[in-house]
Amino acid sequence: MHKKENLVVIVGPTAVGKTALSLTLAQHFNGEIISGDSMQVYRQMDIGTAKATEEERSLIPHYMIDIMEPDEEFSVAIFQAKARQLISEINHRGKLPFIVGGTGLYIQSVTHSYQFSEADQDPELRDRLQLFADTEGVEALHRRLREHDPITADRLHPNDVRRVIRAIEIYELTGKRMSDHQHQAAYSPYNLKIIGLTMERSKLYERVNHRVDLMIEAGLVEEVRQLLDLGYSPDLLAMQGLGYKELIPYLYGEITLDKAISDIKQRTRHFAKRQLTWFRRMPEISWYDLTEPESHEQVFQTITCEMEGMFPFSQNI
């Protein structure tokens, strides 16, 4: 029987503490980290995507960071293929691969072997759907998807126009829903440990607000200004990311900086709530509460004991 490759996944809402735990566990278990965040792949988008710092990356090798330009197309299928290859390479080096991030579909595509549609593309149909979104609004486009494919509509945010259009396109071309094309294995192909981090909601929202303040102090406004100065369109999917989309109207003189910051905080809080909703649907996740700072060491010890039983040859002893 073919031996399954090892894989550890750390998930949870933004600002909950995934990065700190991943560094500690990766050092203890001789691991290497694959970013499971759909925005960290983009170069020149560092502050708003909360990438691991250069110092953190010097401690533990990190992958799937800074591999695309902001105007290059990136998809869950690309992520799946690249992550699978990295997992095999890390295992073959005798290391333990960790996927760390909050983009649920990207992570689940790897842990449970989603198979994606190969339906043809219709540029003319895409143009019509984009025009519909531009004239009627993204919510109207999203409602159009929901009429045919409520499962995919639940998964995609209305602002993710490119993927909403793709889902409608698949239905129009094949008569089948995107959710029909995406098959998920009942069991993971990996020897898998999924760690879910959670926190009492008011405490999490405090951390979200504080993180946004720190990003502003670190120069997020200048980061967005530089992207615009380099000619990247505000309509790019990358520029719709948290912290980028909200600052563009400020840089165009349409709103105040206080309003932009308030919008970032509110949208990030809503995003954190959606992340938790997504991950709660994954029954394999073992959940750990980080609400109380004094409990963090005990959480680490508990996870370590559980992992030592699963990955006895990956410990850095």
Side-chain angles (χ1 to χ4, degrees):
M1 182 177 178
H2 178 67
K3 184 176 182 293
K4 288 185 175 182
E5 293 179 327
N6 293 326
L7 177 62
V8 179
V9 177
I10 302 177
V11 299
T14 187
V16 77
K18 296 185 295 294
T19 298
L21 180 66
S22 70
L23 291 168
T24 304
L25 287 174
Q27 287 179 298
H28 185 83
F29 284 94
N30 197 19
E32 300 185 1
I33 294 173
I34 301 167
S35 168
D37 186 292
S38 61
M39 290 294 295
Q40 292 185 357
V41 298
Y42 296 115
R43 302 184 187 100
Q44 304 175 81
M45 304 181 78
D46 302 329
I47 299 170
T49 63
K51 291 174 185 171
T53 64
E54 292 295 332
E55 181 181 359
E56 290 167 338
R57 285 186 247 176
S58 70
L59 295 173
I60 300 292
H62 282 66
Y63 305 96
M64 299 300 282
I65 294 175
D66 293 338
I67 62 170
M68 311 288 288
E69 298 300 335
D71 58 353
E72 291 182 310
E73 184 168 334
F74 190 71
S75 69
V76 62
I78 296 173
F79 175 84
Q80 183 191 59
K82 289 181 177 293
R84 282 176 171 173
Q85 181 177 351
L86 286 165
I87 290 166
S88 290
E89 292 171 356
I90 294 169
N91 270 282
H92 289 161
R93 288 196 294 271
K95 308 281 189 177
L96 182 59
F98 287 73
I99 296 182
V100 182
T103 305
L105 179 63
Y106 278 49
I107 290 168
Q108 208 167 7
S109 75
V110 175
T111 61
H112 288 79
S113 299
Y114 269 115
Q115 296 178 6
F116 295 94
S117 168
E118 298 296 333
D120 291 336
Q121 300 179 4
D122 184 340
E124 184 178 339
L125 174 59
R126 287 188 177 190
D127 288 345
R128 290 201 309 271
L129 292 171
Q130 183 64 60
L131 180 61
F132 180 83
D134 293 341
T135 55
E136 303 297 326
V138 295
E139 295 286 353
L141 182 72
H142 194 258
R143 286 194 297 272
R144 183 166 170 179
L145 170 62
R146 184 172 295 281
E147 292 174 4
H148 304 301
D149 189 352
I151 295 174
T152 302
D154 285 341
R155 180 172 59 77
L156 296 178
H157 191 276
N159 288 336
D160 196 350
V161 175
R162 182 172 66 84
R163 292 191 177 94
V164 172
I165 287 176
R166 175 59 175 156
I168 297 173
E169 178 187 37
I170 287 174
Y171 180 79
E172 295 287 345
L173 293 177
T174 69
K176 295 184 178 180
R177 300 167 296 184
M178 176 181 276
S179 52
D180 295 330
H181 286 272
Q182 294 179 352
H183 304 292
Q184 177 183 344
Y187 301 99
S188 176
Y190 298 105
N191 180 34
L192 177 68
K193 169 70 172 178
I194 308 182
I195 298 163
L197 302 181
T198 187
M199 185 175 287
E200 196 275 324
R201 184 169 295 181
S202 63
K203 180 71 176 292
L204 178 64
Y205 287 176
E206 286 178 15
R207 288 173 61 93
V208 165
N209 292 341
H210 181 59
R211 171 182 275 196
V212 173
D213 289 335
L214 292 177
M215 286 178 172
I216 295 297
E217 292 175 15
L220 180 57
V221 175
E222 289 306 312
E223 183 169 277
V224 180
R225 179 181 283 118
Q226 183 178 24
L227 288 163
L228 293 172
D229 289 345
L230 289 170
Y232 291 112
S233 168
D235 297 327
L236 289 172
L237 182 61
M239 297 293 276
Q240 298 295 306
L242 284 167
Y244 298 89
K245 177 184 176 69
E246 297 83 5
L247 282 171
I248 291 170
Y250 162 68
L251 292 171
Y252 285 168
E254 298 169 2
I255 60 174
T256 65
L257 180 57
D258 285 346
K259 175 68 165 66
I261 294 172
S262 175
D263 288 347
I264 296 172
K265 291 178 178 178
Q266 181 184 51
R267 188 177 171 209
T268 306
R269 292 193 300 267
H270 290 166
F271 177 61
K273 184 178 178 181
R274 291 198 306 275
Q275 286 176 301
L276 277 170
T277 299
W278 174 278
F279 290 124
R280 292 290 187 192
R281 296 199 301 254
M282 295 176 65
E284 303 93 337
I285 296 178
S286 299
W287 287 98
Y288 307 89
D289 193 304
L290 296 182
T291 300
E292 301 300 332
E294 57 268 24
S295 70
H296 290 192
E297 178 60 28
Q298 181 58 50
V299 168
F300 170 71
Q301 294 298 335
T302 300
I303 294 172
T304 299
C305 288
E306 293 171 356
M307 287 180 58
E308 284 172 352
M310 292 184 67
F311 312 108
F313 303 110
S314 297
Q315 298 172 53
N316 188 13
I317 298 175

